[in-house]
Structures are given as structure tokens and as C-alpha cells.
Amino acid sequence: METLRRGGVIALPTETVYGLAANAEDELAVRRVFAIKGRPATHPLIVHVARAEEVSSWARRVPDEAWRLAAAFWPGPLTLVLQRSARATDAVTGGQDTVALRVPHHPVALAVLDALGGGVAAPSANRFGRVSPTTAEHVRVDLGDEVDLLLDGGPCTVGVESTIVDLSGGAPAVLRPGGLAVEEIARVLGREVPVRTSATVRVSGSLASHYAPRAGVVLAEPSEVAARVAALRAQGRSVGVLGPPTIPLPPDVPRYDVPEDPAGAARLLYMRLREADLHGHDVLVACLPRAEGLGIAVRDRLARAAAPRPPGA
């Protein structure tokens, strides 16, 4: 991939979201990724590699549990945090002693990695803190011509970012719920794996406010949605609803439907948030899915979208 070898930055599809990719061993190119996104330099990136065997060159210690997870779920929406080797630079790791690694499950991404013969650092291809892109058009709208090449691989099939598991020391823990269910990780490891969204290891997508549309987001359980909508409209607010089509609402309330099953909701979540943005609502009432399977990741993304935003965000 000549664009990456020359220090370029490309947008490429994965099964989770579109990534903004640079050669992970080219510090200037990696710095450009941070600049395009407006991302803090201390916020680490995920290094994507073509196959599990390459992990040994990026990490200095790979525990048995990491190999078991890799064998079960790679290529796929799983990121492993391990103790970094000298190959992983501060630009990628945010100055930490750990590196985050993943093998994506998308033919275009894997072809790029094979052609490069190395790893790419690839956060989501959008402005930092905003809704992640799941189509090439989302990337065009967000970043325009700031990327050197945009590869269109169609809509992302998972729709939320990878699940991040910390195996850098001590017992394994999920640092970011994502496109691989926590229950599946526990099944392979044969033990419970806690979700720790507040941890000493910094990882992508872990800030309190993240994945945010322009509208304010109000969270509601299914039985609460109609009452929340009525109260907000009584205040004169322009309101839309994100949730399954089975929720009863007045016919004039704009709806952004997602399937009731958590995997279906994850696949369409960011697309519907972006659609709602186009209509300029003051508030989007988001119906929370069941806290199981990929529903845990969807609830995590919605909670971060609803969190108070930093000044100027």
C-alpha cells in the first residue's frame, strides 16, 4: 500500500466502524491522524495487524489467555491490551507501557495490511468525540479531502467499535464493551470477566463524553420513553426518538428505528444518530436495550453520548 508507505493517511472499512489509518511505525503519519481527528495525543490508538502471529512483535509478553481469545475471535471485533514491545512507539500508545492490538474482520482492511506488511494505527474516521462512521459517505461528510485515500467497503456489519480486553497484567478485564459480547469472552476463558470502564490503562473511546451527536441525548428505559417525550415537548423542545419501532408514540414524533435485538441495534446505532443530526432536533430520547450481549455496548455508547460535554465540544 504505497500511500501508507509514503506517510499518507487513509480511511478504510472494518467490520466495526471505518478507521483513519496510518502506518503505525511512521510517527509523523500517526501524528497527522491525531491532527485530522482533533484527538488528544495522550489518547492511545489501536494497532491493526493482518494475523494473530504478528502480536509477538508488538507485545513483549503475550499470556496464554491472549492466545486463546485470539484463536477464538480473530479476525473480529476484539482488541487486546498487552505489555508493549519496542516496536510500539509512544505516538501509538499515548506514552503508556501497553499497546492495543486487533485483527480486523474485513477483506479490504486485511488486504491493506497484507500489502503494507505491517500494522496500521486506526481510530475511527471522524472528528474526535463525535459519532463514529459506518459508511464511506459518513467519512466524506466528516473529513472531506483531509484523507489521502478513502476505501469504500460498504456499510459496517457490526456497527460499534471493538471490545477491548486488558491482559497487560493481573486478571483480564473489559475496558470497553463493544462488538464482541462480554459473555463470549467469559465462555472462552472459563471465568467471569469484569467490565471496568474506569481503569488506570487508557484506551480508545473511554472518555465520559464520546460518540455524541449534535442534539442532546436523554436516556430512557422502554416504559419511560413516551413520558419523557411528552415532558420535553411540553417545554417546547424539538424531540426525536431512537429505539425499536414497537414503542408507542404520537404519530408526529420523528422516529429513528433500530431493531429490538441488541446486535441489530448495534449495527444501526451510529447510522440512526447521524440521521437524527440531519433534522436538527434539540433532544433525542434514546431507548436503552437490554443489558446483555451487544446491548451492553449500545448502552455504553448511549451513556457516553448523553454525558455532559466539555466546554467548546
Side-chain angles (χ1 to χ4, degrees):
M1 171 54 70
E2 287 305 312
T3 302
L4 291 172
R5 290 197 189 98
R6 293 196 309 266
V9 174
I10 71 171
L12 81 172
T14 76
E15 78 281 20
T16 56
V17 300
Y18 273 70
L20 186 63
N23 183 342
E25 295 175 89
D26 185 333
E27 185 169 345
L28 290 178
V30 173
R31 297 291 181 198
R32 190 172 158 216
V33 168
F34 282 94
I36 291 171
K37 281 185 65 72
R39 182 185 179 103
T42 56
H43 208 54
L45 304 179
I46 295 171
V47 176
H48 295 66
V49 296
R51 52 193 60 83
E53 305 89 80
E54 296 181 38
V55 165
S56 296
S57 69
W58 291 92
R60 67 176 183 267
R61 190 181 71 83
V62 185
D64 175 68
E65 288 180 311
W67 292 122
R68 286 162 60 190
L69 291 175
F73 301 119
W74 277 355
L78 169 70
T79 293
L80 300 179
V81 175
L82 302 165
Q83 294 178 11
R84 80 187 222 191
S85 72
R87 190 177 186 184
T89 66
D90 284 347
V92 167
T93 65
Q96 298 181 112
D97 197 36
T98 56
V99 62
L101 298 162
R102 177 164 105 84
V103 179
H105 189 33
H106 194 288
V108 173
L110 291 172
V112 167
L113 290 165
D114 272 329
L116 177 65
V120 299
S124 56
N126 60 300
R127 302 297 179 192
F128 183 67
R130 296 301 184 182
V131 178
S132 300
T134 55
T135 69
E137 182 59 25
H138 294 165
V139 181
R140 290 190 190 98
V141 169
D142 282 6
L143 303 181
D145 59 1
E146 292 189 60
V147 295
D148 300 313
L149 179 66
L150 169 56
L151 301 176
D152 189 343
C156 299
T157 55
V158 174
V160 293
E161 294 79 1
S162 60
T163 301
I164 300 179
V165 178
D166 182 18
L167 290 163
S168 62
V174 171
L175 302 186
R176 180 182 72 182
L180 177 64
V182 176
E183 296 93 332
E184 287 297 296
I185 296 165
R187 177 183 61 78
V188 167
L189 295 184
R191 59 160 148 173
E192 291 298 311
V193 180
V195 177
R196 295 177 182 155
T197 53
S198 176
T200 56
V201 177
R202 299 189 308 278
V203 294
S204 293
S206 59
L207 297 182
S209 177
H210 216 80
Y211 314 109
R214 294 185 184 90
V217 176
V218 172
L219 307 180
E221 297 293 342
S223 61
E224 303 169 340
V225 171
R228 289 291 183 93
V229 170
L232 288 164
R233 295 180 90 193
Q235 298 170 13
R237 313 290 290 278
S238 168
V239 182
V241 172
L242 173 76
T246 52
I247 295 175
L249 291 169
D252 60 336
V253 175
R255 308 182 64 127
Y256 303 93
D257 290 344
V258 295
E260 197 149 8
D261 71 284
R267 187 172 59 254
L268 293 181
L269 174 65
Y270 292 148
M271 187 171 291
R272 295 293 183 257
L273 288 174
R274 286 173 172 268
E275 289 172 2
D277 263 352
L278 295 176
H279 291 85
H281 302 297
D282 300 325
V283 183
L284 189 65
V285 176
C287 179
L288 292 166
R290 302 185 304 276
E292 60 186 38
L294 296 198
I296 296 173
V298 173
R299 290 174 75 101
D300 172 82
R301 301 306 188 272
L302 289 174
R304 295 180 194 278
R309 298 172 195 177

